[in-house]
Amino acid sequence: MFKLLLILGLCFVQIFAEASHPRFSCDFDSVHGVPSQPADTLPYNLQVSGYDYNPGTTITVTIDGDTFRGFYIRAFDEASREPSGTWKESTSLHAMDRCNAAIQADREDKESVELKWNSPPEGSGKVYFKALVMKDYSTYWSDLILKEN
């Protein structure tokens, strides 16, 4: 009887823990419960140094323009549409290896950041980037696609 109560208790704790802490999603569809701003109102410049990669390629992504607080960016292989490569850690970014993503390293205002994406160790192709830039707690732009025209 004790074992049954122990098992039921552990199941309850697990269910409660999952309900109170939803699983993190690598895709940010909404931030802080507010909708994204329209892309045509974006006050930032997002520039990419290139889109072709081979093993050992580093591509620079720059965000600048108006002051902003945060960013979240992922790289995808154009052919497979799967997340690809890694991001080089720096004072301005934290690499989220689980999501093949880069996110701001702090919550301070920024005027520009330069992010370094490293290609996978094998294969070649084209890459595109999907970004979110956050001006403040409730003002952000998401689903910004950076790809070769």
Side-chain angles (χ1 to χ4, degrees):
M1 183 65 151
F2 176 74
K3 288 182 183 179
L4 177 62
L5 289 174
L6 180 63
I7 291 170
L8 289 174
L10 291 174
C11 289
F12 176 76
V13 168
Q14 182 64 31
I15 290 168
F16 178 76
E18 288 184 7
S20 64
H21 293 17
R23 295 186 191 278
F24 176 80
S25 169
C26 291
D27 290 320
F28 284 177
D29 296 327
S30 71
V31 176
H32 305 144
V34 296
S36 175
Q37 301 296 308
D40 62 354
T41 65
L42 180 71
Y44 307 108
N45 303 309
L46 287 82
Q47 300 174 5
V48 180
S49 65
Y51 297 95
D52 296 311
Y53 72 86
N54 293 301
T57 300
T58 298
I59 294 176
T60 302
V61 179
T62 305
I63 304 171
D64 62 17
D66 199 7
T67 302
F68 60 99
R69 178 126 335 137
F71 59 87
Y72 178 77
I73 186 166
R74 298 179 74 195
F76 296 86
D77 178 79
E78 194 171 90
S80 70
R81 302 212 181 279
E82 292 294 320
S84 181
T86 59
W87 295 90
K88 182 179 180 189
E89 291 270 351
S90 72
T91 57
S92 59
L93 83 83
H94 171 68
M96 297 176 65
D97 294 336
R98 175 176 161 228
C99 297
N100 296 83
I103 192 167
Q104 75 277 355
D106 59 48
R107 294 181 179 168
E108 301 300 319
D109 285 343
K110 300 152 189 46
E111 292 183 10
S112 69
V113 293
E114 189 175 273
L115 315 171
K116 302 286 186 183
W117 176 81
N118 299 312
S119 64
E122 296 178 5
S124 62
K126 290 192 178 289
V127 66
Y128 70 93
F129 301 90
K130 184 175 177 183
L132 176 149
V133 181
M134 179 177 283
K135 180 177 183 69
D136 56 40
Y137 185 84
S138 60
T139 310
Y140 69 96
W141 291 261
S142 66
D143 293 325
L144 304 170
I145 305 297
L146 311 170
K147 65 189 300 184
E148 191 171 52
N149 295 332

